[in-house]
Amino acid sequence: MSTPRTSPPAADRRTLIADTAIDLVASAGLRGLTHRAVDGAAGLPAGSTSYYFRTRTALIGACYARLAELDLGDVGDFGDSHDIGDIGASGGDGPPPPGPAPVPADRESAAAALAGLVHRWLTVGRARQLARFELSLEAARNPELEADFHRAGQGARARASGILAALGARRPEEAADLLVAWTDGLLYDRLAGALARSRPAPDLTELTAVTRRMLDAVLAGS
């Protein structure tokens, strides 16, 4: 006797919907983000996305939450492998509270970790970051989303602040805001800027030099 098929848990289905929505935004922009399109791309029965996220605003909020979760997961991976905590840019709604960040050995290890993170986001994480930029503009236009987007960015900044404090920043929160802004600017320039298509593939050595200069600047000014 065959075992009856069971539906995936609601949490898994919500994650599938958010991941699919992010992919759709990356490939087609916000114009491609509809409940019906998410159902089709995710292979879900019609009406599934609207069941979990009744409005388009709720669906976009789910994208913010998932982007924050994935980005913080990336920085956690690099923290484990480079003896440094989480530095990066993130957008989303309600990411898990950041835990204590490992103390970096020195600026060189911090720069290497941040460069590795940026390199990942420019390569295997490229589509996700494009979606994040697209969705951030929606938050700027929609007051219903603004608070969610703002709240989501606090996790990355809190972790960056802790790391910069360990590196000697006197005003680590200000330094973290600047570092996150510069990281976002670097990502945008390489992914969607005027010269993005003509630039060579991201080079880890070059990115490490850039991130070291960024760290030196924020620490000197803080």
Side-chain angles (χ1 to χ4, degrees), residues 12-114:
D12 292 346
R13 188 165 281 199
R14 286 175 176 270
T15 298
L16 172 62
I17 289 170
D19 285 342
T20 304
I22 290 167
D23 288 343
L24 284 171
V25 172
S27 62
L30 280 167
R31 67 181 181 277
L33 183 62
T34 67
H35 289 75
R36 180 179 296 180
V38 174
D39 286 343
L44 294 172
S48 296
T49 299
S50 61
Y51 174 81
Y52 289 101
F53 305 104
R54 297 295 299 172
T55 66
R56 194 167 186 268
T57 296
L59 181 58
I60 291 173
C63 292
Y64 292 158
R66 183 59 173 158
L67 285 167
E69 179 184 1
L70 292 169
D71 285 351
L72 287 173
D74 281 350
V75 292
D77 289 345
F78 280 102
D80 292 340
S81 61
H82 290 85
D83 297 322
I84 185 169
D86 300 326
I87 300 178
S90 154
D93 172 30
V103 177
D106 49 39
R107 292 190 190 186
E108 293 299 334
S109 62
L114 180 54

Side-chain angles (χ1 to χ4, degrees), residues 86-179:
D86 300 326
I87 300 178
S90 154
D93 172 30
V103 177
D106 49 39
R107 292 190 190 186
E108 293 299 334
S109 62
L114 180 54
L117 178 60
V118 171
H119 187 269
R120 174 181 285 193
W121 284 345
L122 289 174
T123 53
V124 296
R126 178 180 183 276
R128 191 204 313 164
Q129 296 305 312
L130 286 172
R132 185 172 65 82
F133 285 124
E134 184 95 27
L135 290 161
S136 70
L137 293 175
E138 186 67 13
R141 301 185 187 106
N142 186 341
E144 292 183 66
L145 291 168
E146 185 177 5
D148 290 343
F149 185 70
H150 172 77
R151 187 164 52 246
Q154 299 313 300
R157 283 170 168 76
R159 295 192 177 195
S161 177
I163 293 161
L164 292 169
L167 290 172
R170 295 185 301 275
R171 296 187 297 276
E173 291 183 1
E174 294 179 18
D177 284 343
L178 187 55
L179 183 60

